[in-house]
Amino acid sequence: MIEINPELCDLCGTCVSVCPADCIELDEMKLMIDNSKCTSCRICVRICPFEALKLVG
Amino acid sequence: MLTEYDVVVVGGGPAGSTAARFAKTATNTVAMFEKDREIGIPVRCAEATSAPDLERFVQVNPTWIANLIRKARLISPSGHEVKINLPADGAVLNRRLFDNGLAEIAANQGVEVFTKANVYKVEAESDHTWKVFIKHVKRDIVIKAKIVIAADGVESRMARFAGIRTQTVPKDIESCVQSLLGNIDVTEDQIDFYFSSKLAPGGYVWVFPKGNRTANVGLGVNCGNYDGRCAADLLDAFIADKFPQAARLTTTAGGVPVAKSLKKIATDGLMIVGDAARQVNPVTGGGILAAITAGKLAGSVAANAIDAADWSLKNLKEYQVEWDKSIGKDYTRFYNIKEWISQLSDDDLDEIAGLLQKIPPTEINILSIFKVALRNKPALLLDAIKLFAQMI
């Protein structure tokens, strides 16, 4: 599953634009990941400008 | 807020405000919803565009323009500099004021504008309308719309509710970080681009002066060229090297599509504009001009469709046709150029820069580059240089 570090996340939405499983969503205050749909492809981990996302487990 | 609008625009950036402005007529109702607390911030943009192009769409308020640009410098990996005189004035905008200004113009036309209003879902209804789900400040609201214009940026999810896949492959997204630097020495009327796999793999570093010893300094990394270094770390390294004394007045991240525009940007009752539709110049990453071009087209098409009381694809596909005919067809060509540039090695870039350096600096302008490129290099290179010179 993907873990978000909220202190690093800038809410830029770059991860949302690439997630092939469409499991990331953004509102004004936070990024949300539906880990039940996540395929652990790590594209979001590599694309995050601030390295705010991490694959765990 | 009404319970039903003819047109709902999701997102209050330049694409959304322009679409809303052109959708509004004396007889219809239009609302625009922005998820953030203020139109225009945070600024996730390097803010450069072409001044004359802007004026084709809107009467430009002087406060929107932070600084005018007349020259560009392309810097190769080993430091060869290619200087270009821009054929038309470039502008580094104050996006916060620019975005606010465009929203005000829409509002003065009668568009209802809401901030802190996150449209998180739309659902197609059997009566050819949309159910629009909004979290507005602390209330959950559901309203109806005949037409939805999705201007919800690179993170767009609206189109997906209409069955249009917007997910972009990693090599077609640049992962970007930018700081507004203060207390730096730059040539105020000149923008710089640094190309190097060491500084920004698959992308470039930009230095766009904003006046008073400030500049937007940022970089984009192509996610297809990811080498383990994130954009933020690369920018830290660049700034420490080139501007060690700088004040970092802002730091923001952003994803820039360098993709082909979406194939399908209109469907029954829905159109997609701007970054959401990947309407960005894939070579430069510039999206402002595309956003307002698409916004105007989609807004006008929406107004006509409401007038005609038929907002099915039949009446909305004109947007798709007009987009493809205008910037869309150029951007498809530019996408191929981007693909070509992305496979150039640092040695290739140095060689190309060396060739261009043989033009005497006093004679370098777009025409002389045109002539040299025509004689020496394939047509693709020529197109790439024209692109940067125009800063679209």
Side-chain angles (χ1 to χ4, degrees):
Chain A
M1 61 178 274
I2 297 294
E3 203 175 77
I4 306 163
N5 180 343
E7 285 174 13
L8 290 179
C9 176
D10 195 44
L11 303 173
C12 72
T14 309
C15 52
V16 184
S17 72
V18 292
C19 175
D22 192 18
C23 66
I24 316 179
E25 201 180 328
L26 180 70
D27 72 12
E28 189 215 349
M29 302 300 286
K30 63 180 187 302
L31 190 72
M32 293 155 286
I33 298 191
D34 178 353
N35 270 304
S36 70
K37 290 201 280 177
C38 173
T39 62
S40 303
C41 72
R42 297 183 74 246
I43 290 175
C44 61
V45 175
R46 287 185 289 139
I47 211 160
C48 176
F50 282 119
E51 287 180 336
L53 301 172
K54 209 165 68 180
L55 184 68
V56 293
Chain B
M1 194 187 302
L2 305 175
T3 54
E4 186 173 346
Y5 289 92
D6 291 317
V7 182
V8 158
V9 179
V10 183
S17 282
T18 307
R21 165 189 165 199
F22 284 96
K24 184 74 184 90
T25 64
T27 54
N28 69 12
T29 53
V30 180
M32 180 171 88
F33 298 99
E34 165 55 47
K35 78 171 172 354
D36 270 302
R37 69 196 80 177
E38 184 179 331
I39 304 266
I41 59 163
V43 174
R44 301 192 190 280
C45 178
E47 302 184 294
T49 191
S50 140
D53 280 331
L54 269 192
E55 281 156 10
R56 289 194 285 121
F57 292 88
V58 62
Q59 196 183 347
V60 175
N61 180 322
T63 64
W64 299 349
I65 296 183
N67 188 29
L68 285 177
I69 301 296
R70 301 209 158 75
K71 298 177 287 186
R73 222 170 29 148
L74 313 183
I75 298 138
S76 79
S78 64
H80 298 312
E81 292 179 7
V82 178
K83 293 181 177 167
I84 301 173
N85 294 328
L86 299 180
D89 275 348
V92 181
L93 299 174
N94 289 310
R95 270 293 300 274
R96 182 183 189 168
L97 300 178
F98 175 67
D99 287 25
N100 255 292
L102 294 184
E104 276 172 25
I105 291 169
N108 289 338
Q109 299 276 320
V111 172
E112 291 186 40
V113 177
F114 300 93
T115 47
K116 222 169 163 55
N118 181 31
V119 176
Y120 59 91
K121 188 167 69 170
V122 294
E123 266 177 20
E125 295 273 272
S126 55
D127 64 350
H128 306 291
T129 62
W130 294 95
K131 234 171 154 172
V132 181
F133 297 79
I134 309 160
K135 200 164 171 47
H136 181 220
V137 193
K138 42 199 275 207
R139 291 185 305 148
D140 260 307
I141 301 169
V142 183
I143 60 169
K144 273 177 88 161
K146 291 171 182 159
I147 295 176
V148 170
I149 298 180
D152 50 334
V154 69
E155 70 268 38
S156 171
R157 293 182 78 251
M158 281 308 112
R160 302 181 196 181
F161 297 117
I164 298 174
R165 199 179 157 81
T166 57
Q167 284 97 323
T168 302
V169 295
K171 76 176 176 70
D172 286 349
I173 290 274
E174 297 276 330
S175 173
C176 303
V177 174
Q178 170 177 277
S179 279
L180 174 64
L181 298 191
N183 185 36
I184 54 169
D185 293 314
V186 283
T187 307
E188 301 257 308
D189 66 346
Q190 171 181 291
I191 52 175
D192 289 341
F193 300 89
Y194 293 80
F195 296 86
S196 153
S197 66
K198 288 186 188 67
L199 300 176
Y204 60 80
V205 184
W206 62 85
V207 178
F208 292 173
K210 286 191 79 173
N212 297 320
R213 308 187 70 235
T214 67
N216 285 332
V217 177
L219 58 81
V221 184
N222 187 295
C223 296
N225 298 49
Y226 179 73
D227 64 3
R229 298 177 296 168
C230 73
D233 289 346
L234 288 163
L235 185 62
D236 286 352
F238 180 82
I239 290 173
D241 179 44
K242 288 279 191 305
F243 303 107
Q245 82 296 354
R248 288 181 81 159
L249 303 173
T250 67
T251 303
T252 45
V256 175
V258 286
K260 283 184 185 161
S261 309
L262 291 185
K263 253 199 199 100
K264 197 173 168 66
I265 52 176
T267 184
D268 290 324
L270 185 136
M271 290 178 276
I272 315 163
V273 293
D275 277 10
R278 314 304 185 226
Q279 287 164 326
V280 172
N281 179 327
V283 174
T284 63
I288 297 168
L289 183 63
I292 54 180
T293 303
K296 181 179 178 180
L297 291 173
S300 310
V301 165
N304 290 339
I306 294 296
D307 262 358
D310 177 359
W311 48 91
S312 68
L313 176 61
K314 179 171 142 297
N315 272 357
L316 301 189
K317 72 168 181 247
E318 189 194 344
Y319 163 53
Q320 176 108 42
V321 172
E322 290 300 316
W323 166 260
D324 289 341
K325 270 206 312 218
S326 58
I327 302 186
K329 98 175 140 359
D330 290 341
Y331 281 14
T332 307
R333 199 161 51 93
F334 295 171
Y335 179 81
N336 298 330
I337 298 167
K338 169 235 143 183
E339 290 285 272
W340 174 75
I341 293 173
S342 72
Q343 48 83 43
L344 293 175
S345 67
D346 281 3
D347 285 345
D348 291 335
L349 291 167
D350 278 327
E351 191 192 329
I352 292 166
L355 255 174
L356 292 172
Q357 273 185 321
K358 289 180 187 148
I359 309 174
T362 49
E363 285 173 30
I364 290 195
N365 56 40
I366 191 63
L367 196 66
S368 60
I369 290 177
F370 185 87
K371 284 179 185 157
V372 168
L374 208 62
R375 274 200 300 271
N376 290 301
K377 284 308 249 187
L380 280 175
L381 170 64
L382 166 69
D383 280 340
I385 290 159
K386 273 161 67 188
L387 281 174
F388 275 99
Q390 290 165 1
M391 284 204 324
I392 292 169

